[in-house]
Amino acid sequence: RRSTMPHSYGYRSQTRYAFARPFRKHGPLGLSTYMREFRVGDYVNVKVNGAIQKGMPHKFYHGKTGQIYMVTKNAVGVVMKKRVRHRYMRKFITARIEHVTHNWGMMQNKKKHLAKAAYLKACEEAETKKAPKPELPEILQPIEPKRPYPRPEHLVKETEIIDVHPVPYEVKF
């Protein structure tokens, strides 16, 4: 027998498990949730907290990563990419801080990138400040090894093409 329950396409439809609180994690949120510091440019994961209904982003963005473009007292603005048919569109969503967590992996990559850029810049400055090397006398000049490669261009001799056929197997009794 077929079920006669109606099907709903509401804003929070099919989120029974996605927005559910984990086992033994019900009740009020800890203060550390509200003590986190968000800055423009930080990468965050959208993880909807079902206990807080205010400022809840749409279910599509649950589990997605974006970058903060705006910070207010209780919420952050996150720019995300959403695939729409053959292209990716930038979507600007606003979510309360209870629904976002820092993406430390992306933050570490960003810090590494910035640190590497600073290091390379420092290396360039050190190179420009460095005194030029004194010229060595001719006796102490390093000897460059003579490498046979790459060889100069040449034509390959044309040779006769030989067809090789297998010898038939003979059974001798």
Side-chain angles (χ1 to χ4, degrees):
R1 184 176 159 174
R2 291 178 53 180
S3 174
T4 57
M5 291 186 68
H7 187 66
S8 173
Y9 292 99
Y11 197 78
R12 287 186 60 173
S13 66
Q14 301 176 4
T15 60
R16 177 178 178 179
Y17 301 107
F19 291 177
R21 302 290 290 135
F23 180 59
R24 293 195 305 193
K25 300 286 184 192
H26 296 267
L29 300 180
L31 289 180
S32 61
T33 305
Y34 299 97
M35 300 298 285
R36 288 182 303 204
E37 204 173 289
F38 293 100
R39 297 172 187 229
V40 174
D42 286 357
Y43 288 95
V44 291
N45 298 329
V46 174
K47 186 178 177 185
V48 176
N49 189 335
I52 309 295
Q53 284 81 38
K54 277 190 172 183
M56 188 181 278
H58 189 265
K59 62 186 175 185
F60 172 83
Y61 301 105
H62 179 73
K64 304 283 193 289
T65 302
Q67 195 171 13
I68 293 179
Y69 74 92
M70 172 191 73
V71 179
T72 63
K73 187 176 73 167
N74 295 323
V76 291
V78 183
V79 59
M80 311 186 87
K81 290 181 182 175
K82 181 177 182 181
R83 184 174 172 213
V84 180
R85 294 191 183 176
H86 60 279
R87 66 194 183 281
Y88 283 90
M89 296 181 69
R90 290 192 330 165
K91 303 294 261 183
F92 296 86
I93 66 166
T94 306
R96 281 177 74 106
I97 56 174
E98 294 94 335
H99 305 294
V100 294
T101 57
H102 279 105
N103 186 325
W104 294 112
M106 297 285 277
M107 300 283 281
Q108 291 296 340
N109 288 344
K110 186 178 176 185
K111 286 180 184 175
K112 283 181 190 173
H113 179 71
L114 293 174
K116 187 175 181 181
Y119 172 74
L120 292 174
K121 187 177 178 184
C123 287
E124 283 180 16
E125 290 174 2
E127 284 290 327
T128 56
K129 291 179 185 176
K130 200 183 289 185
K133 289 183 179 178
E135 284 292 323
L136 294 173
E138 195 171 321
I139 299 165
L140 300 176
Q141 289 289 340
I143 299 170
E144 289 289 325
K146 292 184 179 178
R147 293 183 177 89
Y149 297 102
R151 293 186 219 155
E153 63 182 33
H154 63 280
L155 289 172
V156 179
K157 293 179 185 175
E158 292 183 20
T159 58
E160 188 179 324
I161 298 173
I162 301 170
D163 289 337
V164 178
H165 298 291
V167 178
Y169 181 73
E170 295 178 9
V171 180
K172 296 179 180 178
F173 292 102

